[in-house]
Amino acid sequence: MIFANAMGCDHKRYQKMCLKVQDGVITQITDELAQMSDVEAHQIIDVDSKLLMPSFIDCNVYPKGRTLSRKTLTSLSQKALRGGYGTLLLLPDTTPVIDSEAIVELIKSVDKDLEVHILPCIKPIFSNEGKPKLTDVSKLYTNGARGIYFQSDIEGNLILRIAQYAKMLKTPLICFAQDSSLAQGVINEGALAAKLGLPTISHKSQSIEVAKICEMLLAQEVEVLFSAIGLPRCIEIIQSYKNQGLRAHTEVSLHHLILSEQVCDDYNTAGKLNPPLPSQSARQGLLEALGNGAIDVLTSLQCADFNSQKDQVFELASFGIDSIAYGFALAYDRLFKPHNLSLSLLSKLCSHNPAQILGLDSGALEVGKKADFMVVDLAGRTPITDSFSPYCGAELESKVVMMYRDSQLYEID
């Protein structure tokens, strides 16, 4: 199959391109169709100058209600396809928890029938008679799970033992840094929280844990992705340890770069996220970090819940957002275009870097790479009608119209 007359874009380039795919692999890239070999033997898809870009990879995803089932994974896959995502890393603190070979096998069996590839991440700790114990991480890894996810406020000795597994298996650590004792509230601490009279999540709840994990992992020869960083101070700490040799990556959600805590005014639960949405000044600091190259990965922070769990008073409503179905359009319309950031940077943060971290043979438009890409009409529109979304009523510029992965072409209405 040949995709002709495209505007190809990845982390290195943005140019007119024709791309040949055979057996799910990119085999030739040329500037013009006339330069392509063996054209008559292939079906030709005229992309008509639309954007052709590697599919997004999201390293921070949960199924609806954090419940693992064929139904929730199928729904997640269908939404992700529409948003331009080809691969999802499923975080493991779900029901049931991803801490056994049986659960990894369950996800793999469902994944075979899905449009989008769902990778299970490893939960390395389980409770045995009330005491934390390590799972057999190597067996889960051998069975197809990738990455080891942990929350930072566990026993330090366990963190170091988990890091030894990560080093041995050459798989990344995924760390959600938060001191739970300082995160008992529901909203960012500050003037808005005081106005609404809501209990707060301390700024220190993330920054002190980031500093602790950085210090613990320095010189451990492991790779760590800091999941869902919400404050500029945390990025500063990570950068300082990167300069000392720590192999760390900073992940930030699209929403923390686009929205501020003001979305939560009038007790709007659509903006209730964890980590909480930042103040306007902190959001500006995150945007500066993005422009300075201090952010490595972007996430949709997909964690949908049933409407009944969002339609409650603010303190009782669930954390989370259902946004993966419009991921590309949101990033393009609300972040990259208004701030004059390049599409190549978008591809780097949402495709290339996540692929490198997870060890995937995708994320770039290169001969020999897995053919896993989307076609986007930048003149199209993506409406958002979900009343529980902070973007409800928006009509985002751009629309994903095709996805190609595993030798299958999906046309999106």
Side-chain angles (χ1 to χ4, degrees), residues 185-408:
V186 295
I187 193 172
N188 180 55
E189 66 178 345
L192 179 63
K195 170 189 169 184
L196 298 177
L198 292 172
T200 63
I201 296 176
S202 170
H203 297 160
K204 298 294 185 181
S205 66
Q206 191 170 70
S207 62
I208 62 174
E209 290 295 296
V210 164
K212 180 186 82 174
I213 296 301
C214 284
E215 186 64 25
M216 291 186 72
L217 297 181
L218 187 64
Q220 291 293 317
E221 299 180 30
V222 295
E223 200 161 9
V224 58
L225 173 64
F226 282 98
S227 179
I229 292 298
L231 293 168
R233 175 58 185 153
C234 297
I235 297 177
E236 292 174 10
I237 295 169
I238 295 168
Q239 284 297 113
S240 70
Y241 276 89
K242 281 185 179 182
N243 294 338
Q244 298 175 59
L246 181 65
R247 293 164 56 192
H249 310 280
T250 300
E251 176 192 81
V252 176
S253 88
L254 293 170
H255 319 297
H256 287 71
L257 291 159
I258 295 169
L259 304 173
S260 75
E261 62 185 0
Q262 290 303 316
V263 170
C264 300
D265 205 0
D266 295 326
Y267 304 96
N268 181 8
T269 63
K272 186 178 178 181
L273 305 178
N274 189 26
L277 289 172
S279 66
Q280 183 57 38
S281 61
R283 172 179 169 264
Q284 187 58 44
L286 292 175
L287 285 169
E288 290 173 5
L290 178 66
N292 293 335
I295 293 173
D296 304 297
V297 177
L298 296 178
T299 175
S300 68
L301 206 64
Q302 175 72 14
C303 187
D305 207 342
F306 298 97
N307 290 346
S308 61
Q309 298 303 308
K310 275 292 189 180
D311 192 17
Q312 299 195 38
V313 297
F314 200 95
E315 287 187 64
L316 298 180
S318 60
F319 290 100
I321 188 169
D322 190 0
S323 64
I324 202 164
Y326 45 87
F328 178 90
L330 184 65
Y332 177 72
D333 181 84
R334 293 297 178 90
L335 185 57
F336 279 75
K337 187 176 180 181
H339 292 283
N340 199 30
L341 299 170
S342 72
L343 286 171
S344 286
L345 177 61
L346 176 59
S347 187
K348 178 181 180 181
L349 301 183
C350 292
S351 304
H352 178 260
N353 285 356
Q356 293 293 301
I357 293 167
L358 295 177
L360 304 178
D361 192 22
S362 58
L365 301 179
E366 298 174 7
V367 172
K369 287 285 188 182
K370 182 180 177 182
D372 194 340
F373 50 79
M374 63 178 117
V375 175
V376 182
D377 181 0
L378 294 180
R381 293 293 186 272
T382 300
I384 301 176
T385 58
D386 177 9
S387 60
F388 289 92
S389 168
Y391 308 102
C392 182
E395 188 172 73
L396 303 175
E397 189 172 344
S398 77
K399 177 178 171 56
V400 177
V401 294
M402 291 182 193
M403 291 284 289
Y404 184 91
R405 66 171 304 273
D406 284 349
S407 301
Q408 294 290 322

Side-chain angles (χ1 to χ4, degrees), residues 75-258:
S75 173
L76 177 62
S77 171
Q78 291 168 348
K79 289 178 180 179
L81 192 76
R82 302 183 73 85
Y85 292 86
T87 302
L88 309 177
L89 184 67
L90 196 67
L91 296 187
D93 42 348
T94 52
T95 304
V97 176
I98 306 174
D99 63 356
S100 69
E101 293 175 86
I103 301 304
V104 172
E105 283 293 343
L106 168 66
I107 296 169
K108 287 171 61 179
S109 68
V110 175
D111 178 63
K112 293 175 183 177
D113 301 323
L114 301 180
E115 300 91 342
V116 168
H117 186 31
I118 295 182
L119 278 170
C121 191
I122 299 169
K123 179 81 168 180
I125 298 170
F126 69 99
S127 180
N128 183 12
E129 297 181 351
K131 296 181 180 180
K133 300 288 184 180
L134 285 181
T135 60
D136 194 336
V137 174
S138 59
K139 282 188 177 180
L140 272 64
Y141 177 84
T142 301
N143 213 30
R146 289 295 177 268
I148 306 173
Y149 176 85
F150 69 99
Q151 296 186 332
S152 64
D153 61 349
I154 60 173
E155 183 184 329
N157 182 55
L158 286 175
I159 293 173
L160 293 178
R161 291 173 66 190
I162 293 167
Q164 289 174 350
Y165 265 117
K167 178 180 178 180
M168 177 182 69
L169 299 171
K170 295 182 173 57
T171 197
L173 294 168
I174 316 290
C175 175
F176 180 61
Q178 190 173 73
D179 183 332
S180 57
S181 68
L182 296 174
Q184 299 296 311
V186 295
I187 193 172
N188 180 55
E189 66 178 345
L192 179 63
K195 170 189 169 184
L196 298 177
L198 292 172
T200 63
I201 296 176
S202 170
H203 297 160
K204 298 294 185 181
S205 66
Q206 191 170 70
S207 62
I208 62 174
E209 290 295 296
V210 164
K212 180 186 82 174
I213 296 301
C214 284
E215 186 64 25
M216 291 186 72
L217 297 181
L218 187 64
Q220 291 293 317
E221 299 180 30
V222 295
E223 200 161 9
V224 58
L225 173 64
F226 282 98
S227 179
I229 292 298
L231 293 168
R233 175 58 185 153
C234 297
I235 297 177
E236 292 174 10
I237 295 169
I238 295 168
Q239 284 297 113
S240 70
Y241 276 89
K242 281 185 179 182
N243 294 338
Q244 298 175 59
L246 181 65
R247 293 164 56 192
H249 310 280
T250 300
E251 176 192 81
V252 176
S253 88
L254 293 170
H255 319 297
H256 287 71
L257 291 159
I258 295 169

